[in-house]
Amino acid sequence: MADHLTTQDIRKPENLVYKKTPVLTDNVLHYCPGCGHGTAHRIIAEIIEEMGIQDKTIGIAPVGCSVLAYNYFDIDMHQAAHGRAPALATAVKRLMPEKFVFTYQGDGDLAAIGTAETIHACNRGENITIVFVNNGIYGMTGGQMAPTTLEGMRSSTSPFGRDIELMGNPLKMTELVSHLAGTYFVTRQAVHTPAAVRRTKKALRKAFENQTLGKGLSFVEIVSNCNSGWKMTPLDANKWMEENMFPFYPLGDIKVDGQLVQK
Amino acid sequence: MKDLRLMKGNEAIAEASIRYGVDGYFGYPITPQSEVMEYLMAEKPWERTGMVVLQAESEVASINMVYGGAACGKAVMTTSSSPGISLMQEGISYIAGAELPCLLVNVVRGGPGLGTIQPSQADYFQSVKGGGHGDYKLITLAPSSVQEMYDFVALGFDLAFKYRNPALILSDGAIGQMMEKVWLDEQRPRKTEDEIRALRPWATLGKPDGKPRNIITSLELESAKQEQVNLRIQAKYRELEENEVRYELIQCDDAEYLFVAYGTSARICQKAIELGRQKGLKIGLLRPITLYPYPSKAIAELSGHMKGILSVEMSAGQMIEDIRLAVGCSIPVHHFGRLGGIIPTPSEVLHALETKLIGGK
């Protein structure tokens, strides 16, 4: 009878519907409440658990908000210099092709200072997975303009909004790498709703599985929010992201199995 | 059985890396050291030993590839020349900060800026005083022959792994380009993953089930902890200074005047000694083999028997500061050097000793 159930009863293994993956540590996340990094971390950790590859996965953390990603994944990890994660990952994978290697990078890291390393790792077709979290701003340093900051978007170094004439255009790195012969799977996803999380997880799973095929690089962009940098509540940030980020950075697969997706 | 071959210094570095059992070489072309990667690509070491060789998109990428490979406990290296080594400084600082072993080779050319492609020794400060940001040192070896180019690959890696610190072979365009005979060692096997796990328990080879993960980072947000990291690294440097100083003494027993010179300059000084002794001048040479740790004690001891020291460098005078630190003001210490890629002649060097130390003869 339901009214006789104790906490102990409820905690029986057969009643378990969800638990934190053991591939995430118990460390408390330093990310701001409402930030998408926590969800992105969790689904990557779940995939590593589900694929049974915790003992052969090496992750590369960037410089930026996710610099401390190694505190949260219970796997061997490196902390790269700003923008250089794809260079580290290239060496790790080439020296140990049987391992699973991924980088986790923000838009300042990957699309500004690390542009050369990103493009050349993609173009060489390194059999690694790049996870690119794009929130259109430098979060960790306090909300400066990023290469992906939208036209008119305010930041601490574009306080009156990004002026294209003065500051140049926002960069669509994901479309750019999709045109390189070395990329095998290129997709853009989000983690702001349960449905989006499910789609992102599916994409990330494919991106990790592709590493065993030896057919090139898998590149997963996650368009995310930065409610602190954008100076919004988490809910407002997600709404703003849907209304402003998604039209410029449309979600969906861009390249699948080495072929550009016809739109 | 050892093989004897006639090789360029740069080729000797490449062949030594294969025979040492290096796991990965990552580089970018730059004169006067491009023969290293050219030799490796022609030799296909991936077929001989499984060694990875990759031409990177920049020196920035190649040093960060070295960082990635070193973190996995692999024997990895890069080679470059002065402007390229400048580009690598951030990555070298990270590698030193994360306490990882690797081998770097700088076949020095004249600077500053794009400078010249001719030989120089003007990267001494950058090599032995740190180079990048933060408190760190590179184990710095100075070959003065093609044989030493070959031998210092193994020595550099051995020291780098022993102290978990990058080692640098500080060569120059002359040693890199000239051909000499070289004795080659027998092929050593590359380390297996099990051997690396046993020898280098810090390596990120994948977290074994039930064991703690390995994290390679140079970041510590708490200052008190970062200070402890620095103190640990500094203790390692004191140990290096105690145990790993290497130098060679040439004709110092009866010498009244001393050359201190390394690399190409040391070769020229040997000839200058010969010319000087024909004139009755008692000259000796101390050739530092490790530029860091520096043979300060040996120089200080020798200075007690000398009337003066001439630091001979193909630079405006960089190593002379370390000589002066070693001997204080006890005897005159002067510098002679040529700049911009010019190699001094033995008679120029002897003339400098005569005018600067003996007095206008």
Coordinates of all heavy atoms in Angstrom, one line a residue, chain A residues 25-31 71-72:
Chain A
T25 N 31.8 13.6 -11.2 CA 32.2 13.6 -9.8 C 31.1 14.3 -8.9 O 30.2 14.8 -9.4 CB 33.5 14.4 -9.6 OG1 33.3 15.7 -9.9 CG2 34.6 13.8 -10.6
D26 N 31.4 14.2 -7.6 CA 30.4 14.9 -6.7 C 30.8 16.3 -6.5 O 30.2 17.0 -5.6 CB 30.4 14.1 -5.4 CG 29.7 12.7 -5.5 OD1 28.8 12.6 -6.4 OD2 30.1 11.8 -4.8
N27 N 31.8 16.8 -7.2 CA 32.2 18.3 -6.9 C 31.0 19.2 -7.4 O 30.3 18.9 -8.3 CB 33.4 18.6 -7.8 CG 34.6 17.9 -7.3 OD1 34.7 17.6 -6.1 ND2 35.5 17.5 -8.2
V28 N 30.9 20.2 -6.6 CA 29.8 21.2 -6.9 C 30.2 22.1 -8.1 O 31.3 22.6 -8.1 CB 29.5 22.1 -5.6 CG1 28.5 23.2 -6.0 CG2 29.1 21.2 -4.4
L29 N 29.3 22.1 -9.1 CA 29.6 22.9 -10.3 C 29.8 24.4 -9.9 O 29.1 24.9 -9.1 CB 28.5 22.8 -11.3 CG 28.2 21.4 -11.9 CD1 26.9 21.5 -12.8 CD2 29.4 21.0 -12.8
H30 N 30.8 25.0 -10.6 CA 31.0 26.4 -10.3 C 30.2 27.3 -11.3 O 30.3 28.5 -11.2 CB 32.5 26.8 -10.4 CG 33.0 26.7 -11.9 ND1 33.3 25.6 -12.5 CD2 33.2 27.7 -12.8 CE1 33.7 25.8 -13.8 NE2 33.6 27.1 -13.9
Y31 N 29.5 26.7 -12.2 CA 28.8 27.5 -13.2 C 27.6 28.2 -12.6 O 27.0 27.8 -11.6 CB 28.3 26.6 -14.3 CG 29.4 25.8 -15.0 CD1 29.5 24.4 -14.9 CD2 30.3 26.5 -15.8 CE1 30.5 23.8 -15.6 CE2 31.3 25.8 -16.4 CZ 31.5 24.5 -16.3 OH 32.5 23.8 -16.9
N71 N 37.3 19.1 -13.1 CA 36.8 18.8 -11.8 C 35.6 18.0 -11.8 O 35.2 17.5 -10.7 CB 36.6 20.1 -11.0 CG 37.8 20.8 -10.5 OD1 38.9 20.1 -10.4 ND2 37.8 22.0 -10.2
Y72 N 34.9 17.9 -12.9 CA 33.5 17.3 -12.9 C 33.5 16.0 -13.6 O 32.6 15.2 -13.4 CB 32.6 18.3 -13.5 CG 32.7 19.7 -12.9 CD1 33.0 20.8 -13.7 CD2 32.7 19.9 -11.5 CE1 33.1 22.1 -13.1 CE2 32.8 21.1 -10.9 CZ 33.1 22.2 -11.7 OH 33.3 23.4 -11.1

